[in-house]
Amino acid sequence: MTASRYESLTRDELATLVPELLLIGQLIDRSGMAWCISAFGREEMAQVAIEEWMGASPIYTLRMQKALKYEGVDIFTIFKGLQLDIGAPPQFMDFRYTIHDRWNGEFHLDHCGALMDVEPMGPEYVRSMCHDIEDPTFDATAVATNARAQIRPIHRPPRVPADRNPHCAWTVKIDESYPEVFESADCTALRGSKAALTELAPIDETDEGRSDYSGDVLADLDFAEFSHSALVRIADEVCLQMHLLNLSYLRAIDRRTETDQYLDIATKQLTGLAGIAAGRIRAALNLPADETGALRVLELHPLLNPAAYVTASVADGTIQVSHSPAHHDGSWISIVGPERLAPLQALVRAVDPYLDVEVSGSPVVEPAETWTLRVVRRNEAAAEAGEVAVTRFSTGAAFEFEHRKALPLIVV
């Protein structure tokens, strides 16, 4: 089984990186939806988001349940899943949970980073996100746990009064009398992808620290309590969440576009995300702002992870990319290479604007084809790519995490 690239990080480094990866996953939409609004308008953008999240979230939710051994059919399982979901990154989407019993609970958001991003755009965009998108996608996330779960609003934005807190509140109920929710056709199709079927190394239960998330639901996850082995698996699973969400996004884009527009939107989404993600990874791990640091950021970036899904090797100051399951799926790595440099340039320039990439070889279409990337330094600094600047509009681009203790929730 392919070793994870995250194995090389220390336990403390992984505990820092995992919430960063969860937040980076949330920023996929901050990058991608801007281009959907431009191409299709607000209402069609909302429909893309619905199809995207309904297609991916039931698959990756169940993967994380199995990996961390908290599979179930109850409220406890749903809440644990949300805490490890790129749709609800810790603190940026500050979910606070209340549990009444196995079948009844509530949550509210003390801070909703997505709302902070959308409110300046006006109430129509808020309604699109908090009503049109949330209603079907919350239930789609819950269907991985129980097909008769319903997540319904107590109150939600647009906020009245304008500074209302908490930002929103919801009930979560499971009842056999509720109509069964079924997964979408996109979800069914995506289950056959290489991403959905990727096998990752099991967690070593003898490793020091928490090896799973069985037991009590915790108000906040303290990732430092997890073992090195568990954190490696979580990091790889979170990257697969991103790939699955991206593949679902691309399915929605594909049915609305011709080839050239599809590639244009897909590349712009990746370029914006690649730059913001690279800057956050470098800062979180305090990596040097030079060629060595940029190569290390690239090695740890979701573009190239998990290693079991994206085939690449690092040697002699270069990264060589070969045909992989990700190419088969048409995931991010399939749209970069010798003929499409913008996402790779945005990535290394987020480390230092004087950096650039030189890529040689063939675009990877067939199994025998490879390309090789070397990070180089230029004499003049490059301006930040417009796609990165668009993504930086999100408050998530500069969001700072705080340390929180893992305290068990008490059933009330």
Side-chain angles (χ1 to χ4, degrees), residues 120-142:
M121 300 170 70
E124 289 186 344
Y125 280 92
V126 172
R127 185 170 292 277
S128 289
M129 182 180 73
C130 300
H131 294 245
D132 301 341
I133 296 171
E134 294 290 22
D135 284 349
T137 57
F138 266 148
D139 281 355
T141 297

Side-chain angles (χ1 to χ4, degrees), residues 135-407:
D135 284 349
T137 57
F138 266 148
D139 281 355
T141 297
V143 77
T145 299
N146 195 311
R148 299 191 189 277
Q150 289 189 355
I151 301 177
R152 298 293 181 267
I154 299 169
H155 68 82
R156 56 179 163 176
R159 290 191 287 171
V160 180
D163 59 351
R164 183 174 189 174
N165 278 297
H167 289 171
C168 64
W170 302 74
T171 61
V172 186
K173 297 178 181 293
I174 299 171
D175 193 303
E176 285 301 311
S177 69
Y178 291 162
E180 191 171 1
V181 177
F182 296 95
E183 69 181 30
S184 69
D186 285 319
C187 182
T188 301
L190 202 57
R191 288 192 182 280
S193 67
K194 298 292 186 181
L197 299 173
T198 296
E199 293 188 17
L200 299 173
I203 295 169
D204 180 0
E205 296 183 5
T206 67
D207 203 5
E208 181 181 357
R210 177 190 284 271
S211 62
D212 58 45
Y213 193 10
S214 59
D216 293 334
V217 181
L218 304 173
D220 295 283
L221 290 184
D222 182 356
F223 289 103
E225 292 189 353
F226 285 91
S227 68
H228 181 272
S229 180
L231 288 166
V232 167
R233 178 61 184 269
I234 293 169
D236 278 340
E237 289 287 353
V238 172
C239 287
L240 277 177
Q241 289 187 17
M242 292 189 234
H243 287 290
L244 285 163
L245 187 68
N246 176 59
L247 290 173
S248 194
Y249 171 81
L250 294 178
R251 285 180 63 85
I253 298 302
D254 187 43
R255 65 173 60 100
R256 291 169 168 83
T257 58
E258 300 296 332
T259 300
D260 288 348
Q261 188 182 26
Y262 169 87
L263 284 172
D264 181 60
I265 293 174
T267 304
K268 285 177 176 177
Q269 180 245 52
L270 175 57
T271 302
L273 181 72
I276 296 297
R280 290 198 65 94
I281 291 169
R282 190 210 69 78
L285 298 179
N286 196 28
L287 297 171
D290 58 17
E291 294 91 327
T292 300
L295 201 67
R296 182 62 166 155
V297 168
L298 183 55
E299 185 180 9
L300 299 173
H301 198 283
L303 174 65
L304 290 185
N305 287 285
Y309 183 60
V310 186
T311 305
S313 58
V314 181
D316 301 322
T318 65
I319 290 182
Q320 184 179 77
V321 174
S322 306
H323 197 271
S324 64
H327 286 94
H328 180 276
D329 282 347
S331 196
W332 282 320
I333 197 65
S334 67
I335 61 170
V336 296
E339 298 176 354
R340 201 171 292 270
L341 298 179
L344 299 169
Q345 290 172 321
L347 195 158
V348 301
R349 287 167 179 167
V351 175
D352 184 330
Y354 285 90
L355 297 180
D356 200 353
V357 295
E358 292 181 349
V359 180
S360 59
S362 304
V364 177
V365 179
E366 300 296 332
E369 295 170 329
T370 64
W371 53 262
T372 301
L373 177 148
R374 183 180 298 276
V375 181
V376 297
R377 181 169 291 277
R378 304 299 188 194
N379 292 328
E380 295 184 6
E384 182 174 75
E387 296 91 337
V388 178
V390 166
T391 312
R392 196 176 297 284
F393 171 80
S394 171
T395 57
F399 186 79
E400 296 184 7
F401 291 100
E402 63 182 29
H403 179 259
R404 294 183 180 179
K405 291 287 187 181
L407 301 174

Side-chain angles (χ1 to χ4, degrees), residues 20-36:
E20 290 288 343
L21 292 175
L22 285 163
L23 178 55
I24 288 166
Q26 170 72 195
L27 296 178
I28 290 172
D29 271 7
R30 301 288 78 75
S31 177
M33 291 308 160
W35 309 110
C36 290

